[in-house]
Each structure stands twice: as C-alpha cells, then as structure tokens.
Amino acid sequence: MENVQKPVRGIIKHEWILFYIFITINLIPAVRYSFFPSADGPAHLYNARLIQHLLSGSSDLLHQYYKFNNEIVPNWGGHFILTCLISVFPANLASKIFIGLGLFFLPVSFRYCVKKLNPEGIWISYLIIPFTYSFMLCMGFYNFFIGLAILFFAIGKLVDYRNNPTKISSLLILFVLITSAYLCHLFVFLSLGMFIFFLFSIDLLQSFLVPERRNEIVKKALWLLLVSALPLALTIHYFSHAHGNNDKVYLLKTELLAWLTNCRSIICYNVEDESMFTTFVFLTVMLLFSIALNRRIIEFIDSMKQQRPGIKSIVSGMQLSDVFLALLCIFMVLYFKLPDSDSSAGFISSRLNLMLFLFAILWISNMNYSKWSFLLIVGVVSFSQYKLLKAHDHVFSDLNHEVSEIMCIEPAVKANSVVLPVNYSKNRLTGHNSNYLGINKPLVIIENYECNNAYFPLSWNCKQDMFDLAHSNWSRLDEILDNTKPETLRNVDYIFVQGKKEFPDSLKARVLQQYGIAKETDNFLLLEKKKRFCSDERYTGKAHFYSPTEHKRILSSSGESLFHVFRIGNMTVLTHQCAGGEFTVE
C-alpha cells in the first residue's frame, strides 16, 4: 500500500505545475481564432474604441453623438482595461489579450482564495476550470467575467486580513479590490458585500464570548467599513437613481431545478450536446458537497455535546466555512425568487446558478479529503473540459467565419461616417456583430445597446430624432424607413444589412433608390448613400461647380434629359437628373 501511495504523494507535491499546465492549455480555444466570438463582445470592443477616440479628441463627429455617463457606474472596469489594450494593440489582439487575462486570472484567483481558506484543500481549485468558459463569457459579459477574478482575490485577501494584524498595505489592497469589484459589476460587488457582512457578523457574535478580542474585531470591522465607503456610497447612489419597472420575466421552478442538475451556467451553446458532460461536473461537486456537509454536521453535533446547549454553544461552534454555507442559502433563495430579467438587468438566474456552484466549491475546500480524491477531480475536469471545448470549437469556427466577412467589408466604410445596421439574421449570438465595423476607426454605429442603457460608460449626445432612430427595431428596416423623417435618414451614410439572404428583395429595391451597393459577401450587404449635389448652389471648396446654364446635357433619342455633365476642376462628372434640380453622382 505504501508503494501505491508514493506516486500519489509525488503528484500532489508538484500539483501546482499541473494546475498551470491546465490553465495554459485552457487558453488555446480563446486565442486560436482571430476573434473570440460572443454576443456582447463586439459592443464592448467598439465602445472601448469610442472611449479612446473621445478621450483623444480625434473625431469631432463622435462628440456630436456620444458623451460620457455623468455617473460613476458599474461596468467601467472591463471597459477601462479594454480601452488601455486597444490603445496599444490592434483590436483583435486587444480582444485576445483581454479574454486571455480573464481566463488566466479567474482560476489563479480562485486557487489563491482556496489556499487562504485551507492550504490542504488546494487541489479543490481544479474544479474552477470547467467554469472558466461559462455561459457568461460566451455571451460576452466581460465586466462580470473580470469581476469574478477580482471577487476571489478579494475574498482571499479578506480571510488573510481577518486572521492577521491590521496593516496599511492590506487596507490599501482591499480598497482597490473592493472598489474594482463595484466598477466591474454590481452583482459581483453585492456578492462580496454579503460575504463581508456574514464574515464579520460571526466574528462580532463570537467576540461577546471572548471579550478580550472584541476591540480588535470591532477595529477591523470599522477599518473595513472605511475602505468600503466609496463603493458603498456609489451603490446607494446608483440604486436611489434607478428606475423601477414591472417588465419582469420569471422562469419556471422546474426549469431552474433542471439548470442546477446540468450546471446550466457552463452550457454555452447547445444544451443537448453539452449537458452530458456538465452533468459529470455537477455529480462530482455534489458528491464532495455531501461528504463535506455530513462531516460539518457531525462536527457541529460534537461541539454541542461538549458544551451546554444554547445560543452560546451555537455561536461558539460557528466556523469560517459557515459563511459560505450561509451565502449558499441566500443565493438559493434568490435563485428561485428573483426574476431572470427585467428592463435593467438580464440573465439573473444564470449568474446565480454560477455563483451557487462557485461558492459550493469554496465551501467544499474547507474540508480535507482522501488524497485519491485529487485523481478523481483531475480526471473529471480533464474529460469534461476537453469534451466541452470540443463541442464549442465548431461554433467558434462558424461565428469567426461571419466576423471575417464583416472585417472584409470594414475597409469599405469611410472613417467619421454614420452607419445604420439592420439585422435579418436568426442567430441570437450575432446581434451586435455590426459593431465590429467600428473597432478600427471612428464610426457612429447607431445600433449601440450600451448607450441605450444607463449602466455603461457612454450615453447618447445626439438630437432627439437620431436618439429615436437609435432605439429602433433593427430587424425591420421597412418600419425604420416609414417612421423616420427623411432629413434624419440623410445623416445615414451607410446601411449595413446582416442576414442578406433573408433581406426582402422589395425592400432592397426601395433602398437602392437612395443607396448603392458598396460591398457584399455571402451573409452581409453594405449600402452606401449616393452623393447628391444641388444644381442651384455653388460649390465653395477647391473644386468648382458651374452654374446650371454652363453644364451640358446628354439627350436620349426622345429628347429627354438623361444625364448632366459638370466640370469639377479638371474632372468631368456624369450625373443622373433628379427631382428638384438635384443630381446624383454615378
């Protein structure tokens, strides 16, 4: 038996090498293609470019349409990092670096947290790996994704702060982490706030049993309240200005229960294909959780037997691990009670589903298990993650093909132009793909969902007619044309059609009266506004339009005027005649 245990001990002794090999290999799918495909990712990348242009003042046009949000809102964190990266690197490389940093630091921060909770249970940290390519990441919720890494660094640092003498350096680090949690995502900050509340509530309750520690615990709690004051004030201010609404969507309890059993938060694209492997993860977590819960109940009963039954014995028997158990209970109640979405937030159930599993794993890590459990976890993680990423790969490939088509069209769009996107595609993951057109140059892309919501860094700064256009139904160009004033549409330089095959021919013929085809691919169509010149005005630039009496006409056999010829400098311009004395350059 001793000979069998030796190789196991050897593996565990150097397991940190295996851990970093795992997370390095785990990066490959994210950097393999030109872009990491996600639903909201293009919008975040585009808005990061807008922020860069607005800060540098490189485009007057952008200032006419966009402005910075007056409030210090959540969701600034990811945009700040992306803006820094996109200022140095090409947009596609900046995107890869951003995703790569998240995929690297999420497991590293989780491991740091587990190590602070229980160094003997460090191998439990391998269970975070299947949760890296979560549904949240594939939907492009970058701020939430980065916020998770900050959350686990903060929890680990809070445990360290609780167990050691107070230092100014620790307080400064906590201030940065707690403030960053708010700036990344409000959900993450509130989760961190609940952890702090339960952590020091237990300590304060136990201080009444050990009076000599009371002053130290109270001082630590007050210092922590001080370093949390700024993000706490910002949170109160945010909620006080939030608009209530009744547009809430609830999921069925049976569906929510099914989401728990198949780890819905790590199913990205196809439930049938992926749930087979995510169920292995669920069963592993539940097996370890059951063992840990059984041990904790036995420990608690033993501690009660050694003391006189009552409130004091219950309080004295509380441990750090019970904070995570309390949070699990809170998350479970919220999971079944809160709506999945309302007009100001979405995918709430998916976020809570993810938090339930991550905090369950943290609670599991407080217990010690057989060394053989390490091999079980590594086996399940290796198998499940390989199968999941293999299932994701063909989706990544297909989505990247569409992005490649857009990037082929992108050079045809001139800088400092206004683009009206319309989407006839049925793919829910490509709704914001039009934003890829603006990741390399200053463009006003009217479909910008971030500016339509008050919790992002940028908001609209345009006239009411363009503001109304920005809130249009992007799958109905006919409604846009019918309900928008002609003078408003004149501001639109390009129409970008997504889902060209589903674009009605009758509508295309109608649009081609005012726009010409600039470029098209299998799935996309770019239409450029035809340039128009008025014959009763003089051109004041370097070129010169001759007056109406000085231009020549080309007549048809019936004598009808087909074309007008203008001289512009040394150029001869051939134009169609239009109503009202206007001529369109061909």
Side-chain angles (χ1 to χ4, degrees):
M1 186 67 178
E2 182 67 24
N3 292 333
V4 176
Q5 289 287 350
K6 282 183 178 179
V8 178
R9 290 199 196 102
I11 293 173
I12 292 176
K13 182 179 179 181
H14 301 287
E15 61 78 28
W16 65 271
I17 300 176
L18 183 63
F19 181 83
Y20 283 97
I21 290 174
F22 260 77
I23 64 175
T24 302
I25 295 174
N26 197 47
L27 293 173
I28 294 175
V31 300
R32 179 181 176 186
Y33 298 100
S34 298
F35 289 90
F36 180 82
S38 64
D40 290 357
H44 298 325
L45 201 57
Y46 168 57
N47 279 274
R49 180 65 78 186
L50 287 179
I51 292 171
Q52 184 216 0
H53 286 309
L54 290 172
L55 290 174
S56 65
S58 58
S59 173
D60 293 334
L61 177 70
L62 295 185
H63 286 278
Q64 298 173 25
Y65 284 85
Y66 301 110
K67 64 179 179 180
F68 287 102
N69 197 321
N70 295 326
E71 309 291 339
I72 304 176
V73 294
N75 293 316
W76 249 114
H79 285 73
F80 174 77
I81 297 172
L82 262 178
T83 301
C84 292
L85 290 173
I86 211 169
S87 300
V88 178
F89 303 101
N92 65 323
L93 182 57
S95 176
K96 287 183 182 182
I97 294 173
F98 181 87
I99 298 297
L101 288 173
L103 287 170
F104 180 81
F105 281 109
L106 176 56
V108 168
S109 68
F110 195 84
R111 181 181 174 86
Y112 170 79
C113 183
V114 169
K115 191 172 184 179
K116 291 296 181 181
L117 292 170
N118 179 20
E120 294 298 319
I122 191 66
W123 47 269
I124 292 289
S125 60
Y126 284 76
L127 284 172
I128 187 62
I129 293 175
F131 292 88
T132 51
Y133 285 90
S134 66
F135 176 74
M136 299 295 105
L137 174 60
C138 293
M139 285 300 294
F141 300 160
Y142 289 171
N143 291 287
F144 180 81
F145 177 61
I146 292 295
L148 288 177
I150 293 172
L151 172 65
F152 297 123
F153 274 129
I155 291 175
K157 193 62 185 176
L158 282 165
V159 173
D160 188 56
Y161 169 75
R162 172 183 180 264
N163 297 333
N164 294 289
T166 303
K167 296 180 181 179
I168 297 297
S169 59
S170 296
L171 292 171
L172 288 174
I173 292 172
L174 283 172
F175 171 76
V176 172
L177 289 172
I178 295 171
T179 304
S180 298
Y182 168 82
L183 291 174
C184 281
H185 204 277
L186 193 57
F187 189 98
V188 170
F189 175 74
L190 294 176
S191 300
L192 179 60
M194 286 193 291
F195 173 80
I196 294 172
F197 173 78
F198 282 110
L199 179 67
F200 280 90
S201 292
I202 290 177
D203 283 349
L204 288 171
L205 287 172
Q206 291 180 339
S207 70
F208 288 97
L209 303 179
V210 188
E212 57 269 22
R213 289 197 61 225
R214 189 179 305 165
N215 287 339
E216 178 191 354
I217 292 172
V218 170
K219 285 181 180 179
K220 280 182 175 289
L222 289 175
W223 275 113
L224 192 57
L225 181 63
L226 180 63
V227 299
S228 306
L230 176 60
L232 190 60
L234 291 172
T235 301
I236 294 171
H237 177 77
Y238 177 82
F239 279 115
S240 66
H241 288 75
H243 299 289
N245 64 85
N246 296 315
D247 186 19
K248 297 177 181 179
V249 177
Y250 290 85
L251 300 179
L252 295 174
K253 300 294 188 291
T254 52
E255 184 176 7
L256 291 171
L257 190 60
W259 281 18
L260 286 175
T261 58
N262 65 12
C263 283
R264 181 62 180 86
S265 53
I266 56 174
I267 296 176
C268 297
Y269 303 116
N270 190 301
V271 175
E272 292 183 3
D273 292 344
E274 299 174 43
S275 60
M276 172 188 322
F277 311 114
T278 59
T279 301
F280 283 113
V281 178
F282 168 77
L283 292 174
T284 303
V285 173
M286 286 301 100
L287 173 63
L288 295 172
F289 185 86
S290 300
I291 295 171
L293 184 60
N294 181 63
R295 288 183 180 178
R296 182 68 189 103
I297 291 173
I298 293 173
E299 284 180 6
F300 186 76
I301 292 173
D302 289 343
S303 68
M304 292 289 289
K305 288 179 179 178
Q306 295 172 8
Q307 303 178 52
R308 190 174 182 178
I311 299 297
K312 287 186 178 180
S313 61
I314 293 175
V315 171
S316 63
M318 291 180 178
Q319 300 177 1
L320 173 60
S321 63
D322 296 329
V323 174
F324 296 100
L325 198 58
L327 283 172
L328 280 175
C329 294
I330 296 294
F331 284 139
M332 187 66 75
V333 171
L334 295 176
Y335 180 67
F336 285 101
K337 288 292 184 181
L338 289 181
D340 182 55
S341 64
D342 57 30
S343 61
S344 61
F347 300 96
I348 298 170
S349 300
S350 298
R351 300 177 203 270
L352 286 167
N353 183 283
L354 180 62
M355 287 303 218
L356 279 168
F357 282 102
L358 296 181
F359 275 82
I361 296 170
L362 286 178
W363 186 71
I364 290 168
S365 71
N366 285 274
M367 302 291 176
N368 294 325
Y369 304 86
S370 164
K371 300 299 183 183
W372 288 101
S373 301
F374 170 75
L375 298 181
L376 168 67
I377 289 177
V378 171
V380 170
V381 167
S382 302
F383 174 76
S384 300
Q385 189 68 347
Y386 171 75
K387 290 293 187 178
L388 285 171
L389 292 180
K390 187 176 180 181
H392 295 169
D393 188 66
H394 76 277
V395 181
F396 288 172
S397 178
D398 291 343
L399 293 175
N400 258 273
H401 177 71
E402 288 200 19
V403 178
S404 298
E405 286 188 48
I406 295 174
M407 298 314 293
C408 288
I409 287 177
E410 183 264 345
V413 183
K414 299 181 179 66
N416 294 298
S417 299
V418 178
V419 181
L420 172 65
V422 288
N423 185 7
Y424 286 83
S425 171
K426 301 295 189 294
N427 192 337
R428 64 183 177 87
L429 293 173
T430 62
H432 304 305
N433 272 12
S434 62
N435 286 185
Y436 279 119
L437 293 173
I439 63 174
N440 292 323
K441 65 185 71 164
L443 286 182
V444 175
I445 301 175
I446 302 176
E447 190 279 304
N448 190 337
Y449 92 97
E450 289 194 16
C451 291
N452 293 346
N453 293 285
Y455 45 83
F456 284 105
L458 297 181
S459 59
W460 292 108
N461 189 39
C462 53
K463 296 179 180 179
Q464 186 62 43
D465 57 345
M466 293 301 292
F467 180 83
D468 293 338
L469 182 59
H471 290 76
S472 300
N473 181 355
W474 304 112
S475 63
R476 293 298 301 271
L477 180 58
D478 53 340
E479 290 183 3
I480 294 174
L481 297 177
D482 292 338
N483 299 327
T484 307
K485 296 178 181 179
E487 54 267 28
T488 302
L489 290 174
R490 288 195 190 105
N491 295 315
V492 177
D493 301 304
Y494 296 91
I495 296 177
F496 177 69
V497 180
Q498 188 173 332
K500 185 186 74 171
K501 296 173 183 177
E502 288 76 29
F503 189 48
D505 290 337
S506 58
L507 189 55
K508 180 178 178 181
R510 179 181 174 185
V511 175
L512 287 176
Q513 294 177 13
Q514 307 292 331
Y515 289 80
I517 297 176
K519 200 161 187 178
E520 60 182 318
T521 63
D522 291 341
N523 298 294
F524 303 97
L525 175 66
L526 181 67
L527 303 169
E528 183 177 9
K529 181 173 66 177
K530 296 176 180 178
K531 297 179 181 178
R532 305 179 72 83
F533 303 95
C534 185
S535 62
D536 59 359
E537 294 180 359
R538 284 186 172 273
Y539 183 75
T540 57
K542 292 182 180 180
H544 176 71
F545 276 110
Y546 283 67
S547 66
T549 58
E550 295 173 294
H551 70 254
K552 298 179 180 179
R553 293 189 301 168
I554 299 177
L555 303 179
S556 67
S557 58
S558 62
E560 180 184 358
S561 177
L562 294 180
F563 298 99
H564 287 262
V565 181
F566 285 91
R567 285 180 57 201
I568 306 179
N570 295 323
M571 293 190 302
T572 299
V573 180
L574 204 63
T575 68
H576 278 308
Q577 184 175 13
C578 302
E582 293 185 342
F583 306 93
T584 306
V585 174
E586 295 292 311

